[in-house]
Amino acid sequence: MVARKLSAKRHAVSGIITALIFVLGLSLGVIYEDAKLAQNEEKLKNQEIDLSSIQLQYFYLNELFQEDNSCPVLTTALTDSTEKLGESLEKIESAIKENTNNVEENKRIQRTYLQDNLRYWMLSKNIKDKCNRNIVNILYFYSEECDICPNQGVILSYFKKKYLEDILIFPINTNIEEDMIELIKAQYNVTAYPSIVINGITYTGVIEKEELGEIICSEFGNQTVCEE
Amino acid sequence: MNLIVRGLFITIYVISLYFLIYWLVLYSEVRHRIKKEKKIVPYLRRYPTAAILVPAYNEEKTILKTLKSISRLNYPKDKFEVHILNNASKDRTEDVSLEFIKHHPELNIKYHYIAQPGKAKAMNKGLSIIKTKYFACLDADSTAHKNALLEMMAKFERGNDELTILTPVMKIENPQTMIQKMQRIEYLFGAMMAKLMSYMDANYVAPGPFSVYKTDRIRELGGFDEKSIVEDQEIAYKVQQKHYKIAQCSNAFVYTLGPKDAKALRNQRNRWVKGTILTLFDYRKLFFNKKYGEFGIFQLPVIFTYYLLGLFSLNAFLYFTIKPIYKLIKNLSLINYDIIPFIQTFKFTFDIWSIDFLFTFLLNIMLVITIVFLFIASRTTDDKLIKGHGFLSLLLYFYLYFLLLSTVLIEVVVELIIGKKQRW
């Protein structure tokens, strides 16, 4: 019986085209990842500018006004910025999870975000006192190894959506090496995750929707936000 | 997604991409031959004899149409004979057949009752009766175009001695339901592939509706395998194993009724998929075997990879659709399904920076090549891809059809593992 034909040339041509497409995909993928990182860094820079802007406003307020007439502007600026910070933090975290190259760079970005977050937190505490506004500040400690932490995250973002500018949430990723975290943890006696700190009181473990709702409402005091 | 899973996905995608590109390269080589073949006017100096075997199992509703299409065949009536092989039907197949015979004295048509079930048995019985040079099989749920036999015979007589089976261009007859419309697209693609396979001697199936065989050669090969549940595939493997040729006849059209609903399709495919896996296993020695040319080196791995891809795409579907839905429900339960705050603040955002680039890139390249093939196929089979059939079926074909077949595949794998008996 005759030997059957095999077209080596056709296989070679197809192989080369496939390889070219694959390499093209890989290279475009690298460009894409680079652009993604650049995008993230740009967001971070914008965030830093927003931060210095709101700090500037705060100092201005502190220096020139002893009365409350700048408070509405200030609180609006604060909530806007924390919201922006929160959004880009989420994006940065998911970007970092996918992007395993550039570990050092990622750590740096994460750390800057964390510091920004803590600055905002301190600022919001000051504004709360100065402007006599019932903002609820929540410090949220979590770690990447903790399985139940995302549950707390869902419940927190629910209240954020519900009360909008009346709540400020500052997520703290404890995996990041930052001395400031240790300081705050020691002060509020945080030992396990998830933990949330509201008005100086530490709650450990996942706080269910009902319980957290009550805590938040009692913080609002006699305000009508909770009465529906 | 973790790295190993991603690596597996990308490997299987790259292999599939290679196969698609190979077909594209092959097409660019043979496209002039395809065009030329389509233009050939069938011519026969002498009409060879042929038998048409019509195996029927409970086909009282469709057999009449099949027989009518045979009576309209554009071929000298004294050069072909018809054998109705009633495969132990429990309905009125016999009455309908005999009635037809009475009204068509001009046809040389015989009726046989075969007590044992199984299409291969019926076909072998037919094979033992006939004395014609060629024979065709026409399932009783299909109809042949009036020129189909003439085209086949002319191609057979033009071809060399090794040519053993000619397959038709199959189309779904008058697709009504969405399931049938999706099959229409699948058959379009299948016809294109079968054409391309002809040029590298790699056809692996001789479809039940109107494949034509060289009688002596099939006898020499021992006829149809009565143990196989897909005897039309088994015979093709047998022919390939002996290095004989199978080709598609571009101008011989045959129309088959595709299953109307998902359940019927599932039953049909369950048998096909199981048969394919078992046949593939029986002929595993041909795998990557250079002796069998592109059939061993290319086509068998393609079938294997196609199934692997099926399993993977189902997994991908679960991963990208079911898992997020599960997560969403779990999250909703945490907030007691109070979604009003989310609705009030909802804004739709698509983040261009959240995709897996390589993954998306490879998938889209494959999608584009498949669509290109579908367009070529619709042109070479004188069909329309979208016009008159709607765009929806094309969209669903890409989204749902693969999924449907993948579930059948998983079902079959499970059944094979636990050793379930095949039902017909």
Side-chain angles (χ1 to χ4, degrees), chain B residues 147-330:
Chain B
N147 285 335
L149 188 59
L150 182 70
E151 291 276 358
M152 292 273 199
M153 291 297 113
K155 188 167 165 91
F156 249 127
E157 295 290 296
R158 285 198 303 272
N160 56 20
D161 176 59
E162 274 138 30
L163 187 56
T164 302
I165 305 178
L166 277 179
T167 69
V169 174
M170 270 206 291
K171 292 182 179 186
I172 292 289
E173 184 183 352
N174 193 17
Q176 298 292 330
T177 66
M178 194 45 78
I179 292 282
Q180 285 172 323
K181 284 183 180 182
M182 289 195 282
Q183 286 175 76
R184 186 189 71 88
I185 296 168
E186 183 195 24
Y187 276 56
L188 211 58
F189 195 68
M192 183 75 218
M193 289 303 130
K195 181 83 260 168
L196 289 177
M197 282 178 223
S198 304
Y199 287 101
M200 51 177 183
D201 292 324
N203 297 64
Y204 69 98
V205 58
F210 222 63
S211 282
V212 182
Y213 307 82
K214 201 171 264 174
T215 312
D216 291 341
R217 185 68 47 73
I218 298 299
R219 282 206 187 109
E220 176 195 318
L221 294 173
F224 294 88
D225 183 358
E226 295 180 4
K227 284 199 248 7
S228 175
I229 51 169
V230 282
E231 73 302 317
D232 52 353
Q233 272 190 51
E234 208 279 335
I235 193 79
Y237 277 71
K238 217 183 276 180
V239 168
Q240 290 288 1
Q241 195 181 24
K242 295 286 178 194
H243 307 293
Y244 293 124
K245 285 191 192 315
I246 305 173
Q248 188 201 47
C249 181
S250 307
N251 292 328
F253 297 109
V254 57
Y255 307 90
T256 188
L257 290 168
K260 274 196 183 68
D261 52 43
K263 195 173 163 244
L265 183 69
R266 203 192 87 183
N267 287 341
Q268 183 196 49
R269 295 312 159 101
N270 185 294
R271 182 172 68 83
W272 287 8
V273 169
K274 195 177 286 172
T276 303
I277 293 174
L278 292 173
T279 316
L280 218 51
F281 184 75
D282 286 344
Y283 287 85
R284 61 190 177 279
K285 286 212 175 84
L286 276 58
F287 246 89
F288 292 118
N289 193 332
K290 260 167 123 173
K291 242 168 74 187
Y292 300 97
E294 299 286 11
F295 184 71
I297 295 287
F298 183 77
Q299 192 54 45
L300 295 186
V302 165
I303 304 168
F304 185 75
T305 312
Y306 180 73
Y307 279 6
L308 219 55
L309 193 67
L311 286 176
F312 266 77
S313 53
L314 189 69
N315 271 318
F317 176 78
L318 294 178
Y319 191 90
F320 290 113
T321 311
I322 304 294
K323 200 181 158 196
I325 290 175
Y326 167 76
K327 210 171 143 188
L328 182 71
I329 291 172
K330 202 194 88 188

Side-chain angles (χ1 to χ4, degrees), chain A residues 8-21:
Chain A
K9 192 184 146 204
R10 201 186 299 138
H11 278 288
V13 170
S14 319
I16 290 168
I17 296 176
T18 311
L20 283 177
I21 291 178

Side-chain angles (χ1 to χ4, degrees), chain A residues 1 4 6-7 10-11 14-15 18 21-22 25-26 28-29 32 35-36 39 151 154 158 161 209-210, chain B residues 14 18 21-22 26 29 201 240 243 292 294 330-331 335-336 338 345 352-355 357-358 361:
Chain A
M1 197 55 67
R4 291 168 69 154
L6 259 177
S7 174
R10 201 186 299 138
H11 278 288
S14 319
T18 311
I21 291 178
F22 183 67
L26 269 183
L28 289 176
Y32 172 87
K36 191 179 187 170
Q39 186 83 5
N151 294 355
V154 170
Y158 164 78
K161 296 265 181 198
K209 182 196 162 201
E210 264 68 46
Chain B
V14 169
Y18 173 78
I21 286 175
Y22 185 89
L26 177 64
E29 274 175 37
D201 292 324
Q240 290 288 1
H243 307 293
Y292 300 97
E294 299 286 11
K330 202 194 88 188
N331 287 348
I335 53 166
N336 298 350
D338 180 11
T345 58
I352 188 85
W353 302 106
S354 66
I355 57 172
F357 188 85
L358 187 59
F361 181 77

Side-chain angles (χ1 to χ4, degrees), chain B residues 54-110:
Chain B
V54 185
Y57 174 69
N58 292 347
E59 308 276 7
E60 60 176 18
K61 288 201 186 87
T62 54
I63 195 167
L64 196 62
K65 219 165 140 196
T66 307
L67 294 172
K68 272 183 184 159
S69 86
I70 292 175
S71 75
R72 281 194 287 264
L73 281 176
N74 182 11
Y75 204 76
K77 298 274 185 281
D78 59 328
K79 292 292 180 188
F80 75 95
E81 57 192 56
V82 184
H83 297 274
I84 301 167
L85 307 165
N86 185 350
N87 223 185
S89 294
K90 292 179 185 74
D91 65 352
R92 291 184 55 252
T93 302
E94 174 164 333
D95 301 346
V96 177
S97 305
L98 293 175
E99 184 79 358
F100 180 84
I101 294 172
K102 212 163 75 186
H103 286 97
H104 290 269
E106 80 282 6
L107 287 176
N108 180 5
I109 179 165
K110 302 255 165 28

